[in-house]
Amino acid sequence: MKTCEVDRIPVAEIANGHRLELVIHRLSGANEGPRLGLIGGIHGDEPLGIETVRLVMTAFAEEEFKGELIALPVANPYAFQSLTRNTPIDMNNLNRVFPGDPDGMLTEQLAYAICEHFLPRCDYLIDFHSGGNLATVDYVYLHDEGTLAKAFGCEILFRGPSYEGSFGNYARGTGVPTVVSELGGGQQRNEYFLEKGVRGTRNVMKALGMLDGPPDVPPRQQIVEEMTLIRPHQGGLMLSTVDATRLGESVPHRAELARVVSPYTFEELESMAAPFDPTVLVLVREPVTKVDPGDYAFIVANGATATQI
Ligand SMILES: [Zn+2]
């Protein structure tokens, strides 16, 4: 078994006396090769990515590979502690403030530390995201020519915006190709999405020559260009008719996806329907959830403009 080196990089002293640190793991393979960075927990309500990083590092402590694996499993420890997307201390979204600022707000100081102490150790990156506490998601972003994103092995690749201030956008700008995966979330099909994330990492390692053999990709992959968020206009209980086993499926135009009912009067307040012909399901919520107007209910893609690869 190899030894995993662990570095603890101090970021800042918090008023509660806790020292905020980056905990970075490094595993070296038997031969020279690329340095692949794995980062989880940029959003604190996405623990599946953190667990995926842990599973990968645990497996490769006992398995040969070429190059190095550098892992930052919990990029935003305070957001993870509170299971929130944003840092609770300053309410900032870490994934919109890269490259950060050493003299800025806490989230900016954290981003700066990640850029100073983690990013320079990586030649390539995988940034693991999920759907948050109540939603499940299944796709990978396609932000460059896409060799690594395709190799990762999701059925859906989204050629979408690369958000200003996101870690992937910044890393790519510094010459570090980055795969941003969106896998799992909520509590639906955890084992399936953990396996998919680990397999995706192995696939990227194969594409980079860190492991032998071709990537294990699904027979059918499609690139979607047009994706939309469906948000409820009414708050109440949302009863979804599609669960996470349906992700990636196409449903007909106007098919009912969910109803919002009043938990007080029991009346139906709203029905949400598939907007495209056909509509590809990309993000779904848990079957019964509280919603407020404007929450994420679904992410769907236009199947008519999708291309098969
Ligand atoms: Zn995220």
Side-chain angles (χ1 to χ4, degrees):
M1 183 154 162
K2 295 188 271 294
T3 44
C4 189
E5 289 172 25
V6 180
D7 287 335
R8 305 182 78 100
I9 312 290
V11 178
E13 185 85 11
I14 307 299
N16 62 11
H18 173 227
R19 191 167 71 159
L20 177 59
E21 296 176 330
L22 301 179
V23 182
I24 299 175
H25 299 244
R26 185 174 79 97
L27 271 174
S28 293
N31 301 93
E32 294 281 296
R35 302 171 303 166
L36 175 62
L38 310 173
I39 184 166
I42 282 185
H43 291 135
D45 59 346
E46 301 174 6
L48 216 77
I50 298 171
E51 172 62 357
T52 306
V53 172
R54 190 189 71 83
L55 289 173
V56 169
M57 295 303 276
T58 305
F60 282 102
E62 305 198 34
E63 190 180 330
E64 277 315 328
F65 63 97
K66 298 189 188 88
E68 271 184 22
L69 289 170
I70 312 285
L72 174 56
V74 188
N76 192 344
Y78 269 82
F80 172 61
Q81 193 275 331
S82 59
L83 273 183
T84 52
R85 183 173 174 85
N86 295 356
T87 316
I89 291 173
D90 60 17
M91 300 306 288
N92 275 300
N93 179 347
L94 175 60
N95 216 27
R96 295 293 181 274
V97 302
F98 284 98
D101 179 350
D103 305 315
M105 286 189 281
L106 179 64
T107 306
E108 294 172 308
Q109 293 182 31
L110 180 60
Y112 179 79
I114 292 169
C115 291
E116 282 291 292
H117 299 286
F118 174 68
L119 182 57
R121 299 172 68 176
C122 308
D123 301 315
Y124 300 90
L125 272 167
I126 307 176
D127 178 9
F128 293 93
H129 289 260
S130 309
N133 293 323
L134 294 173
T136 313
V137 71
D138 189 353
Y139 67 95
V140 66
Y141 279 98
L142 190 58
H143 282 141
D144 47 26
E145 40 71 53
T147 307
L148 297 182
K150 287 173 196 163
F152 188 80
C154 280
E155 289 79 3
I156 295 177
L157 295 93
F158 175 40
R159 198 188 300 283
S162 182
Y163 295 105
E164 192 67 30
S166 69
F167 187 53
N169 191 64
Y170 179 72
R172 224 172 286 112
T174 65
V176 179
T178 301
V179 174
V180 180
S181 73
E182 294 277 357
L183 284 180
Q187 288 302 325
Q188 297 187 70
R189 305 191 80 194
N190 281 335
E191 285 304 312
Y192 171 83
F193 288 111
L194 288 169
E195 278 173 23
K196 196 163 186 168
V198 171
R199 184 171 62 243
T201 307
R202 288 180 178 276
N203 281 344
V204 169
M205 292 172 74
K206 288 174 179 175
L208 294 173
M210 298 171 73
L211 291 175
D212 293 331
D216 173 16
V217 294
R220 185 170 172 269
Q221 287 182 292
Q222 59 180 334
I223 298 173
V224 300
E225 315 254 353
E226 194 182 351
M227 207 135 96
T228 193
L229 248 171
I230 302 177
R231 301 177 187 270
H233 296 87
Q234 312 290 336
L237 271 182
M238 180 176 135
L239 312 176
S240 181
T241 56
V242 286
D243 67 19
T245 62
R246 308 276 307 275
L247 286 169
E249 265 186 36
S250 291
V251 298
H253 190 203
R254 299 197 181 92
E256 185 177 81
L257 301 178
R259 293 181 301 134
V260 178
V261 299
S262 166
Y264 305 100
T265 65
F266 310 151
E267 68 186 308
E268 182 174 317
L269 301 174
E270 184 171 358
S271 168
M272 277 174 273
F276 299 118
D277 184 18
T279 294
V280 181
L281 299 170
V282 178
L283 174 145
V284 299
R285 281 173 81 98
E286 297 283 313
V288 181
T289 56
K290 184 275 292 178
V291 283
D292 272 309
D295 278 351
Y296 277 38
F298 297 94
I299 297 178
V300 293
N302 188 347
T305 55
T307 49
Q308 310 297 321
I309 54 171

